[in-house]
Amino acid sequence: MKNAPQYIIGIGSSAGGHSALKEFFHDIPPGLSAAFVVVTHLLRDHRSMLPEIMEKYVVMPVERLHGIVVPEAGHVYVMPEDVLLEIRQGTLYLMPRPEDYVWNQAINVFFTSLAQDQCEHAIGVVLSGMGTDGAEGALMLYRHGGEVLVQEPASAQFDSMPKAAIRTDHPDLVLPPRELGQRLAAMLQFGQQPYTAHKFY
């Protein structure tokens, strides 16, 4: 595949996530060997404007996901409303969100599939949000050889999701979102190995 990414980076956020995403992407340049997939908690019947918002501060192409997509390096893909997202054999698939799906676990669903599909080429990022979504998926990433980056809870508008990920998983980095983005960009730009010496916090 032309422009195939070396890494697939899943970014999960909920309440307070817009500002965290803006900080995270602040210092991430174009041309990296990674595709970024943003998964957030969205209302079923309200069209998300997040892709249009992110276009204003992300230097890479930002695409609202629809149908079946093979991700390319240097692109950002944003999950739309009323769906769940999985990656299988390097391809992103949207699925209808079940009507009886009361507790939104969209981040866990994607992170789990990302761990199983990409293994050591998977990176999960947990940003601001309420609840515990993302924690189980982060643990799956860890168990499959992937990397987990978590927003430092004190820097989050809503710290429940970061705290849950820290309690459940073994995060490789726990830092404010802008510093997470900087460290990730350095790894991708300079070919550094993923954070094998765990625990930078």
Side-chain angles (χ1 to χ4, degrees), residues 1 5-6 10 30 36 39 52 55 57 60 63 65 72-73 94 97 106 119 140 161 170 179 198 200:
M1 172 190 162
Q6 183 179 3
F36 298 79
V39 178
E52 290 83 355
E55 284 179 345
Y57 59 77
M60 296 171 281
E63 177 180 333
L65 281 170
E72 296 184 49
L94 292 177
R97 183 178 166 187
C119 299
M140 289 292 289
M161 275 180 26
H170 302 74
E179 293 180 47
H198 280 231
F200 284 83

Side-chain angles (χ1 to χ4, degrees), residues 114-193:
L114 180 64
Q116 295 169 340
D117 191 69
Q118 297 292 309
C119 299
E120 69 274 13
H121 296 284
I123 300 174
V125 182
V126 179
L127 300 177
S128 175
M130 295 187 291
T132 62
D133 191 18
E136 291 181 11
L139 184 58
M140 289 292 289
L141 285 164
Y142 175 79
R143 289 174 173 171
H144 283 76
E147 304 298 316
V148 178
L149 285 59
V150 178
Q151 179 171 0
E152 206 288 314
S155 71
Q157 292 184 37
F158 296 88
D159 62 10
S160 299
M161 275 180 26
K163 283 183 174 179
I166 292 168
R167 285 195 306 269
T168 306
D169 177 46
H170 302 74
D172 298 275
L173 286 174
V174 178
L175 291 168
R178 184 169 179 180
E179 293 180 47
L180 289 179
Q182 291 170 341
R183 294 288 288 272
L184 179 60
M187 184 197 87
L188 296 171
Q189 283 180 297
F190 302 113
Q192 300 171 359
Q193 291 296 313

Side-chain angles (χ1 to χ4, degrees), residues 4-182:
Q6 183 179 3
Y7 293 95
I8 304 290
I9 301 169
I11 304 168
S13 70
S14 181
H18 284 190
S19 60
L21 284 166
K22 186 174 182 179
E23 291 179 36
F24 176 80
F25 280 104
H26 189 276
D27 297 307
I28 295 182
L32 298 177
S33 60
F36 298 79
V37 182
V38 178
V39 178
T40 59
H41 290 173
L42 301 168
L43 297 174
R44 289 182 182 273
D45 55 355
H46 180 75
R47 186 177 188 274
S48 172
M49 298 301 294
L50 184 57
E52 290 83 355
I53 294 171
M54 291 185 65
E55 284 179 345
K56 298 176 181 179
Y57 59 77
V58 175
V59 296
M60 296 171 281
V62 178
E63 177 180 333
R64 181 190 303 272
L65 281 170
H66 58 277
I68 299 171
V69 175
V70 178
E72 296 184 49
H75 287 242
V76 178
Y77 301 92
V78 183
M79 188 186 79
E81 61 284 340
D82 203 23
V83 295
L84 296 176
L85 173 65
E86 288 187 352
I87 183 168
R88 300 191 293 273
Q89 297 183 328
T91 301
L92 298 169
Y93 292 87
L94 292 177
M95 304 167 293
R97 183 178 166 187
E99 289 297 326
D100 60 352
Y101 205 73
V102 178
W103 301 107
N104 197 329
Q105 296 292 306
I107 301 168
N108 278 333
V109 169
F110 181 67
F111 278 11
T112 298
S113 71
L114 180 64
Q116 295 169 340
D117 191 69
Q118 297 292 309
C119 299
E120 69 274 13
H121 296 284
I123 300 174
V125 182
V126 179
L127 300 177
S128 175
M130 295 187 291
T132 62
D133 191 18
E136 291 181 11
L139 184 58
M140 289 292 289
L141 285 164
Y142 175 79
R143 289 174 173 171
H144 283 76
E147 304 298 316
V148 178
L149 285 59
V150 178
Q151 179 171 0
E152 206 288 314
S155 71
Q157 292 184 37
F158 296 88
D159 62 10
S160 299
M161 275 180 26
K163 283 183 174 179
I166 292 168
R167 285 195 306 269
T168 306
D169 177 46
H170 302 74
D172 298 275
L173 286 174
V174 178
L175 291 168
R178 184 169 179 180
E179 293 180 47
L180 289 179
Q182 291 170 341

